[in-house]
Amino acid sequence: MKVFISCDMEGVAGIVDWSQCLASGGAAYESGCRLLLGEVNAAIEGACDAGADKIVVNDSHGTMVNLDPEGLRRPASYISGRHKPDYMMQGLDPSYDAVLFVGYHGSISGKSSVLSHTYNPDVFTGVRMNGSYVGESGINALVAQAHAVPIALVTGDLATLEEIAWLAPGCVGVATKDSITRFSAHHLHPALARERIRDGAREAIEAVAAGRLEPPPIELPAALDLEFHTADLADLASWVKMVERTGLRSARIAGADGAAMFSSFVAVTYITRQAGGR
C-alpha cells in the first residue's frame, strides 16, 4: 500500500495566527512546526497500522521546509523545498493507492475558516471548478483525479471538510478545530487531534484496501474559473498556456486533462507572484 501525504499548516489544531505559519514568526513558528509534525506523524502511524508500507510526505506550506526531517516517523520519505512543478501535489503518480490531505484550510471565497486563502491571498479572490467554489483541496483534487487515486483522508477545520466533501465522497474527515472567524477558532487539544488523525488515517487506508473509495468525481472536460484582485493579475495569467482571459479580473483554464490544468494553474500562481515583487 503506497500513500501520498500533502501537508499544509493552517488547518492544524492550535494554529490560528500567521506568526505560527511563517519563519519570521520566531518562537511562534517553531511551535507551529512542532504542532504540524505531530499531526503528520499521526497520519503516518495510522496509515502504517492499516498496512501502508510506503509513505511519501510532500511539505506543501509556504517555502515548504516546515518539517524536521529527523523527527518524521519512519518509513516516510520527505519532499521539501520551493519551485516544485506540481507544488502541493509534487510526487503523486498513478502508482499510489491513496492521498491524504493533512492540515488543510478553507478557501478565500468560502465561509470563515482560520487563515483562509486560495494559494495566494494577494492574488486570488476565488476559484470555481465547474461552477462551484473550491479551495486548495479542490484544486489539488484535479491531480488525484488525473492519476486515478482516491482522496482518503482530509484534516483541518470544519469549513475545510465541508468544502471538499463533494470532491472526496466517502473520505474520512478529521476536524481539528471549528473556526469562529478567519483569525479565531475553538481547537481540539493537540494530543486529541493526533489521536483522531491516527484513527482516521487507519480507517481511511482500510477503506481504500477494501475498495470503498473512488478518485474525485470531477466531470471532464472541466473548467477552473479564476477571480483576481486586479486586472493586471488577470493579464499576467493570460500569458500562461491554457489560460483564457474571460473578463477584466477573471480568466479560465479548461480541458479534459486535470493534470495539465493543474500545471497551468501552478504556472499562474508563480507568474502572478511577480506582480507583488515576490
Side-chain angles (χ1 to χ4, degrees):
M1 179 70 71
K2 189 175 180 182
V3 175
F4 178 85
I5 298 176
S6 173
C7 66
D8 209 346
M9 200 164 184
E10 293 88 350
V12 170
I15 287 182
V16 77
D17 189 82
W18 291 119
S19 65
Q20 297 173 280
C21 300
L22 301 172
S24 59
Y29 173 66
E30 292 175 6
S31 174
C33 287
R34 288 193 297 272
L35 292 170
L36 171 62
L37 182 63
E39 293 197 1
V40 170
N41 279 336
I44 294 169
E45 291 166 4
C48 289
D49 289 345
D53 54 6
K54 183 168 184 179
I55 300 174
V56 175
V57 177
N58 179 29
D59 193 328
S60 302
H61 172 76
T63 55
M64 307 184 192
V65 287
N66 304 287
L67 297 176
D68 175 5
E70 286 189 329
L72 203 62
R73 292 284 191 271
R74 297 176 67 180
S77 60
Y78 182 41
I79 297 174
S80 64
R82 293 179 292 167
H83 301 155
K84 295 178 288 195
D86 284 329
Y87 216 113
M88 299 181 80
M89 299 301 282
Q90 183 66 41
L92 185 67
D93 62 43
S95 69
Y96 285 85
D97 298 291
V99 169
L100 313 184
F101 289 158
V102 175
Y104 269 54
H105 56 81
S107 71
I108 193 68
S109 53
K111 63 172 62 176
S112 292
S113 178
V114 165
L115 304 178
S116 61
H117 60 281
T118 303
Y119 269 86
N120 187 338
D122 296 327
V123 172
F124 299 107
T125 60
V127 174
R128 286 177 287 126
M129 180 188 293
N130 292 343
S132 297
Y133 280 107
V134 292
E136 293 172 7
S137 58
I139 297 167
N140 296 349
L142 280 168
V143 185
Q145 190 273 343
H147 295 310
V149 185
I151 298 170
L153 174 75
V154 179
T155 79
D157 75 335
L158 284 170
T160 301
L161 304 189
E162 293 171 1
E163 199 167 68
I164 190 61
W166 70 284
L167 288 170
C171 84
V172 176
V174 177
T176 59
K177 54 193 169 189
D178 186 7
S179 294
I180 300 169
T181 67
R182 192 166 180 246
F183 299 101
S184 59
H186 184 180
H187 308 264
L188 292 180
H189 188 283
L192 179 57
R194 292 166 196 162
E195 288 177 14
R196 293 187 178 178
I197 290 170
R198 184 174 60 249
D199 292 344
R202 181 173 58 250
E203 179 184 347
I205 299 307
E206 288 173 348
V208 170
R212 296 197 298 269
L213 297 181
E214 299 290 336
I218 300 171
E219 185 176 345
L220 298 173
L224 278 181
D225 288 296
L226 315 179
E227 301 170 3
F228 300 93
H229 279 289
T230 59
D232 62 311
L233 293 170
D235 189 41
L236 282 171
S238 71
W239 300 356
V240 175
K241 183 180 178 180
M242 292 182 69
V243 178
E244 176 188 358
R245 185 83 172 263
T246 56
L248 184 64
R249 293 184 293 109
S250 62
R252 171 175 288 183
I253 302 171
D257 183 343
M261 291 175 62
F262 183 78
S263 292
S264 291
F265 178 79
V266 169
V268 169
T269 66
Y270 281 135
I271 196 171
T272 53
R273 286 185 192 278
Q274 300 310 308
R278 294 191 291 124

